[in-house]
Amino acid sequence: QLKTSFPVARIKRIMQADEDIGKVAQVTPHVVSRALELFMIKLISASADQARGAGPGGSGGSKGPKRILTHHMKRAVKADETFDFLADIVDKIP
Amino acid sequence: MSDKEFGGKARKHALMPSELSRRPDLRVGPASVTLRNIADTVPGSDDLSLPKEVAKASPSAATVQKIINEVLASPSLELATTSADGATQTMTFAKESRDLLIECCVEFITMLSSEANDIAEKDAKKTIACEHITKALQDLGFEDYIPELLRVAEQFRVSQVSREKKQSKIEQSGMTNDELIAAQEALFRDAGEKYNATT
């Protein structure tokens, strides 16, 4: 789908940073990489939706392209059940 | 070019393509041995905003930025808007948002691995396999990802088969290790000469 993808070795390292994790099949980091890609697309889109909806009326944009801020991401996380595991991370954001 | 310029250490085996990617001094030009996907990027030097320990265990900021740009620019997601004068503007991520995104990515990987690990253990398996990952994703509510991921797994299996064919080709070449090394160095020399001749 996307042209760029995450380095497989880096993913494997993150996975094995957890001591409970033992061996990992060769194919696994590739699969995780794609899953991560899809997840990122979902989170980015949801955050962008929040940012778009946040502007006044429908005539915003005179200040240039909208910027996605952390509170947009927080709202996106709260609005979707599958993002529950991110609740702790976004809690520190006002 | 002599061996001394390469750092002098006698090689124990002919270099495999994956090792070549770590030896920039051996890249002699387009005529040389083809390199397989260089999966690992230069570690962490572009992670200016993250502390070293986090940087080592998180995706490179540059890669994340590239992906962000790709997603935001993607027409199918309708994230670009056209203003009154016809100019297209894409949304951007603030710096703190980018860092937050990276944190979320690491959390996703960690959580996924942890779930998959539990599933593998229940399955009495010591190695986390693809099916453990897909089951974990299902449990976590990401089941729509599964068809795409099965495709990725299949693609990988296919590439492994062709890789094994290449491995056995080396074994079947009938040459000893030293002969293989010599042959490879001869190829490098030739490639180097051709490259230098054209530059």
Side-chain angles (χ1 to χ4, degrees):
Chain A
Q1 226 181 335
L2 295 181
K3 279 182 295 188
T4 351
S5 65
F6 287 103
V8 177
R10 193 67 73 94
I11 289 186
K12 186 162 175 210
R13 224 182 299 166
I14 299 177
M15 287 177 80
Q16 294 185 312
D18 182 342
E19 285 172 349
D20 289 337
I21 309 271
K23 293 194 214 161
V24 158
Q26 269 194 342
V27 67
T28 306
H30 285 91
V31 172
V32 173
S33 167
R34 176 66 107 212
L36 182 61
E37 209 176 292
L38 296 169
F39 166 75
M40 272 192 76
I41 292 175
K42 185 170 181 182
L43 182 53
I44 292 174
S45 307
S47 306
D49 277 345
Q50 291 294 336
R52 228 188 326 221
S59 61
S62 55
K63 293 189 192 144
K66 287 246 171 73
R67 284 170 76 226
I68 297 172
L69 305 173
T70 48
H71 68 259
H72 298 139
M73 295 177 73
K74 179 171 181 173
R75 273 211 291 268
V77 165
K78 298 253 180 215
D80 190 332
E81 256 184 347
T82 58
F83 289 152
D84 275 351
F85 67 100
L86 298 172
D88 286 342
I89 296 181
V90 298
D91 264 348
K92 61 184 193 243
I93 297 161
Chain B
M1 284 199 252
S2 72
D3 268 336
K4 289 203 190 116
E5 289 173 54
F6 287 176
K9 218 167 149 195
R11 273 184 278 140
K12 295 242 170 80
H13 52 250
L15 288 177
M16 295 305 293
S18 54
E19 293 170 282
L20 277 174
S21 68
R22 277 185 245 126
R23 291 284 301 274
D25 52 334
L26 288 179
R27 288 188 201 155
V28 288
S32 62
V33 179
T34 45
L35 301 169
R36 287 200 57 221
N37 0 330
I38 299 170
D40 203 3
T41 54
V42 175
S45 53
D46 42 0
D47 289 316
L48 298 169
S49 54
L50 300 169
K52 249 197 191 159
E53 317 80 55
V54 181
K56 270 200 206 145
S58 69
S60 120
T63 314
V64 175
Q65 180 58 58
K66 263 200 249 168
I67 294 194
I68 290 178
N69 291 339
E70 250 192 274
V71 174
L72 292 180
S74 161
S76 64
L77 294 172
E78 291 172 15
L79 289 173
T81 54
T82 314
S83 62
D85 59 1
T88 324
Q89 297 177 323
T90 33
M91 305 180 88
T92 58
F93 257 69
K95 187 180 171 302
E96 315 83 51
S97 306
R98 254 201 330 266
D99 290 340
L100 185 61
L101 189 58
I102 293 178
E103 263 190 80
C104 294
C105 287
V106 176
E107 186 60 29
F108 179 78
I109 295 175
T110 311
M111 178 198 61
L112 187 54
S113 311
S114 178
E115 285 291 315
N117 196 38
D118 288 344
I119 294 173
E121 273 173 17
K122 281 194 203 133
D123 209 12
K125 298 265 168 63
K126 284 195 190 148
T127 313
I128 301 183
C130 182
E131 60 219 8
H132 304 137
I133 299 277
T134 47
K135 180 79 179 59
L137 285 168
Q138 208 169 25
D139 290 345
L140 294 163
F142 292 102
E143 60 268 343
D144 2 330
Y145 293 0
I146 296 181
E148 169 69 15
L149 298 182
L150 293 176
R151 249 181 13 98
V152 172
E154 186 53 34
Q155 267 175 357
F156 182 80
R157 258 191 288 271
V158 170
S159 78
Q160 282 298 84
V161 168
S162 75
R163 195 170 170 218
E164 272 155 37
K165 282 195 191 146
K166 288 183 199 161
Q167 300 273 68
S168 64
K169 187 180 169 195
I170 288 183
E171 280 155 31
Q172 285 168 5
S173 73
M175 294 160 84
T176 63
N177 231 1
D178 285 339
E179 285 169 353
L180 283 170
I181 292 176
Q184 193 172 42
E185 282 178 356
L187 279 170
F188 285 146
R189 264 198 307 277
D190 282 342
E193 279 160 24
K194 278 189 205 146
Y195 186 72
N196 291 328
T198 56
T199 46

